[in-house]
Amino acid sequence: MDISSKAAGPAGALSNFHAHPFVFDGVECAGAEGPIQSFKFDDPEVQREICKLSGREAKARGRERNEAWKSVQRLWWQGQEYDRHSQAYQDLLDRLFDALLENADFQATLLSSGDEELTHSIGSSDPRETVLTEQEFCSRLMKLRLGLVPR
């Protein structure tokens, strides 16, 4: 299943652009794209504003910081700086997706994807160029889905 905001059904609803409200580290988020884009900013107040955005609006807001974060390979969350290539950053992404899973609609959509392999063909595979690679995104979704399936 190739995840894309333009796709119908679960493939579209699993996109970071889809609005699935949740709370991440005490910050209200309209969907996953807000916090992902907010990681490009070092100011916690700006991050909180971006987290309230969803989809293309969040993506557009983050675009202004693409060159800045890429040049230093650093990202931020609530006053803490992260090396883009560190385990600490991977842990931050885990916490983000764990928080997103608290949204019941997102959880149901994830379960409805069955046992399909999840892909994101429009996503980048180069961590120097993106805050969330295709592998980072899809592997987390499949891991979370596996945890939801009754054994």
Side-chain angles (χ1 to χ4, degrees):
M1 176 180 298
D2 191 24
I3 298 170
S4 167
S5 63
K6 296 177 177 145
L14 289 173
S15 164
N16 289 336
F17 278 24
H18 197 85
H20 288 293
F22 66 103
V23 176
F24 176 48
D25 289 349
V27 177
E28 290 186 26
C29 303
E33 193 65 22
I36 289 167
Q37 293 300 321
S38 81
F39 293 161
K40 299 174 182 179
F41 295 81
D42 58 356
D43 183 333
E45 285 300 316
V46 171
Q47 289 180 321
R48 281 190 279 284
E49 290 172 22
I50 296 170
C51 285
K52 292 177 185 173
L53 306 176
S54 64
R56 284 175 179 68
E57 194 176 12
K59 180 83 168 184
R61 185 71 167 82
R63 201 169 282 129
E64 70 189 58
R65 288 284 296 192
N66 281 344
E67 203 172 297
W69 85 262
K70 288 177 187 179
S71 69
V72 295
Q73 293 297 295
R74 296 284 185 264
L75 297 160
W76 298 266
W77 179 243
Q78 293 190 330
Q80 183 172 344
E81 182 178 294
Y82 292 86
D83 178 326
R84 170 61 179 94
H85 311 282
S86 68
Q87 183 57 51
Y89 182 67
Q90 294 302 311
D91 295 344
L92 176 67
L93 290 176
D94 287 341
R95 287 195 352 259
L96 171 64
F97 279 85
D98 286 347
L100 174 59
L101 192 63
E102 295 298 315
N103 178 291
D105 290 336
F106 177 79
Q107 207 176 99
T109 301
L110 189 56
L111 273 172
S112 75
S113 68
D115 59 357
E116 294 226 25
E117 175 86 15
L118 301 179
T119 61
H120 185 54
S121 63
I122 64 167
S124 174
S125 62
D126 186 350
R128 293 169 303 206
E129 295 295 319
T130 185
V131 177
L132 183 69
T133 66
E134 179 207 10
Q135 190 276 333
E136 289 168 333
F137 177 49
C138 294
S139 66
R140 279 176 175 79
L141 292 181
M142 288 188 289
K143 181 182 174 189
L144 291 172
R145 182 180 64 191
L146 191 60
L148 292 172
V149 178
R151 299 182 196 276

